mmCIF file of all heavy atoms in Angstrom:
data_model
loop_
_atom_site.group_PDB
_atom_site.id
_atom_site.type_symbol
_atom_site.label_atom_id
_atom_site.label_comp_id
_atom_site.label_asym_id
_atom_site.label_seq_id
_atom_site.Cartn_x
_atom_site.Cartn_y
_atom_site.Cartn_z
ATOM 1 N N PHE L 165 -46.934 22.676 -25.116
ATOM 2 C CA PHE L 165 -47.036 21.237 -25.478
ATOM 3 C C PHE L 165 -47.089 20.343 -24.248
ATOM 4 O O PHE L 165 -46.545 20.674 -23.199
ATOM 5 C CB PHE L 165 -45.846 20.831 -26.366
ATOM 6 C CG PHE L 165 -45.641 21.767 -27.545
ATOM 7 C CD1 PHE L 165 -44.455 22.433 -27.716
ATOM 8 C CD2 PHE L 165 -46.679 21.992 -28.445
ATOM 9 C CE1 PHE L 165 -44.267 23.290 -28.794
ATOM 10 C CE2 PHE L 165 -46.513 22.832 -29.528
ATOM 11 C CZ PHE L 165 -45.297 23.514 -29.702
ATOM 12 N N GLU L 166 -47.705 19.206 -24.474
ATOM 13 C CA GLU L 166 -47.831 18.253 -23.367
ATOM 14 C C GLU L 166 -46.538 17.501 -23.089
ATOM 15 O O GLU L 166 -45.736 17.320 -23.979
ATOM 16 C CB GLU L 166 -48.916 17.228 -23.717
ATOM 17 C CG GLU L 166 -50.305 17.702 -23.416
ATOM 18 C CD GLU L 166 -51.331 16.720 -23.904
ATOM 19 O OE1 GLU L 166 -51.106 15.505 -23.804
ATOM 20 O OE2 GLU L 166 -52.359 17.219 -24.428
ATOM 21 N N ASP L 167 -46.457 17.007 -21.856
ATOM 22 C CA ASP L 167 -45.288 16.190 -21.475
ATOM 23 C C ASP L 167 -45.099 15.055 -22.498
ATOM 24 O O ASP L 167 -46.053 14.369 -22.838
ATOM 25 C CB ASP L 167 -45.498 15.567 -20.093
ATOM 26 C CG ASP L 167 -45.418 16.592 -18.983
ATOM 27 O OD1 ASP L 167 -45.342 17.797 -19.292
ATOM 28 O OD2 ASP L 167 -45.438 16.192 -17.808
ATOM 29 N N GLY L 168 -43.887 14.911 -22.951
ATOM 30 C CA GLY L 168 -43.563 13.774 -23.813
ATOM 31 C C GLY L 168 -43.936 13.973 -25.269
ATOM 32 O O GLY L 168 -43.670 13.110 -26.076
ATOM 33 N N SER L 169 -44.550 15.099 -25.598
ATOM 34 C CA SER L 169 -45.014 15.261 -26.976
ATOM 35 C C SER L 169 -43.902 15.736 -27.907
ATOM 36 O O SER L 169 -43.923 15.444 -29.096
ATOM 37 C CB SER L 169 -46.207 16.216 -27.055
ATOM 38 O OG SER L 169 -45.819 17.492 -26.560
ATOM 39 N N ARG L 170 -42.955 16.472 -27.397
ATOM 40 C CA ARG L 170 -41.879 16.976 -28.236
ATOM 41 C C ARG L 170 -40.582 16.983 -27.430
ATOM 42 O O ARG L 170 -40.601 17.210 -26.222
ATOM 43 C CB ARG L 170 -42.161 18.422 -28.714
ATOM 44 C CG ARG L 170 -43.188 18.504 -29.805
ATOM 45 C CD ARG L 170 -43.116 19.871 -30.503
ATOM 46 N NE ARG L 170 -43.707 19.781 -31.811
ATOM 47 C CZ ARG L 170 -44.973 20.135 -32.075
ATOM 48 N NH1 ARG L 170 -45.770 20.564 -31.132
ATOM 49 N NH2 ARG L 170 -45.431 20.074 -33.309
ATOM 50 N N VAL L 171 -39.487 16.799 -28.131
ATOM 51 C CA VAL L 171 -38.168 16.935 -27.473
ATOM 52 C C VAL L 171 -37.245 17.714 -28.380
ATOM 53 O O VAL L 171 -37.481 17.832 -29.582
ATOM 54 C CB VAL L 171 -37.524 15.545 -27.219
ATOM 55 C CG1 VAL L 171 -38.282 14.775 -26.133
ATOM 56 C CG2 VAL L 171 -37.425 14.711 -28.507
ATOM 57 N N LEU L 172 -36.198 18.252 -27.776
ATOM 58 C CA LEU L 172 -35.117 18.832 -28.556
ATOM 59 C C LEU L 172 -34.011 17.778 -28.653
ATOM 60 O O LEU L 172 -33.633 17.193 -27.637
ATOM 61 C CB LEU L 172 -34.563 20.105 -27.897
ATOM 62 C CG LEU L 172 -33.469 20.816 -28.714
ATOM 63 C CD1 LEU L 172 -34.077 21.528 -29.939
ATOM 64 C CD2 LEU L 172 -32.693 21.805 -27.862
ATOM 65 N N ARG L 173 -33.532 17.544 -29.861
ATOM 66 C CA ARG L 173 -32.477 16.536 -30.030
ATOM 67 C C ARG L 173 -31.246 17.137 -30.697
ATOM 68 O O ARG L 173 -31.339 18.078 -31.478
ATOM 69 C CB ARG L 173 -32.985 15.382 -30.940
ATOM 70 C CG ARG L 173 -34.144 14.657 -30.317
ATOM 71 C CD ARG L 173 -34.663 13.585 -31.258
ATOM 72 N NE ARG L 173 -33.741 12.478 -31.409
ATOM 73 C CZ ARG L 173 -34.034 11.371 -32.124
ATOM 74 N NH1 ARG L 173 -35.222 11.259 -32.749
ATOM 75 N NH2 ARG L 173 -33.178 10.380 -32.195
ATOM 76 N N ALA L 174 -30.100 16.540 -30.353
ATOM 77 C CA ALA L 174 -28.859 16.936 -31.021
ATOM 78 C C ALA L 174 -28.855 16.282 -32.397
ATOM 79 O O ALA L 174 -29.377 15.159 -32.572
ATOM 80 C CB ALA L 174 -27.668 16.457 -30.226
ATOM 81 N N LYS L 175 -28.312 16.986 -33.368
ATOM 82 C CA LYS L 175 -28.221 16.427 -34.723
ATOM 83 C C LYS L 175 -26.804 15.932 -34.900
ATOM 84 O O LYS L 175 -25.872 16.716 -35.151
ATOM 85 C CB LYS L 175 -28.534 17.568 -35.709
ATOM 86 C CG LYS L 175 -28.894 17.105 -37.115
ATOM 87 C CD LYS L 175 -29.165 18.364 -37.909
ATOM 88 C CE LYS L 175 -30.024 18.136 -39.098
ATOM 89 N NZ LYS L 175 -30.397 19.436 -39.743
ATOM 90 N N ILE L 176 -26.598 14.648 -34.669
ATOM 91 C CA ILE L 176 -25.218 14.129 -34.733
ATOM 92 C C ILE L 176 -25.109 13.063 -35.833
ATOM 93 O O ILE L 176 -24.800 13.381 -36.970
ATOM 94 C CB ILE L 176 -24.700 13.625 -33.371
ATOM 95 C CG1 ILE L 176 -24.921 14.679 -32.277
ATOM 96 C CG2 ILE L 176 -23.198 13.326 -33.460
ATOM 97 C CD1 ILE L 176 -24.471 14.304 -30.872
ATOM 98 N N ASP L 177 -25.454 11.820 -35.495
ATOM 99 C CA ASP L 177 -25.234 10.777 -36.492
ATOM 100 C C ASP L 177 -26.034 9.534 -36.109
ATOM 101 O O ASP L 177 -25.650 8.831 -35.164
ATOM 102 C CB ASP L 177 -23.729 10.456 -36.575
ATOM 103 C CG ASP L 177 -23.443 9.306 -37.550
ATOM 104 O OD1 ASP L 177 -24.363 8.881 -38.270
ATOM 105 O OD2 ASP L 177 -22.273 8.866 -37.588
ATOM 106 N N MET L 178 -27.116 9.260 -36.846
ATOM 107 C CA MET L 178 -27.988 8.121 -36.506
ATOM 108 C C MET L 178 -27.318 6.785 -36.848
ATOM 109 O O MET L 178 -27.857 5.733 -36.508
ATOM 110 C CB MET L 178 -29.339 8.235 -37.211
ATOM 111 C CG MET L 178 -30.214 9.325 -36.656
ATOM 112 S SD MET L 178 -30.509 9.250 -34.869
ATOM 113 C CE MET L 178 -31.514 7.770 -34.706
#
Side-chain angles (χ1 to χ4, degrees):
F165 309 122
E166 276 173 40
D167 289 7
S169 60
R170 285 198 159 95
V171 291
L172 183 74
R173 297 177 70 175
K175 198 179 202 172
I176 309 180
D177 177 8
M178 289 306 292

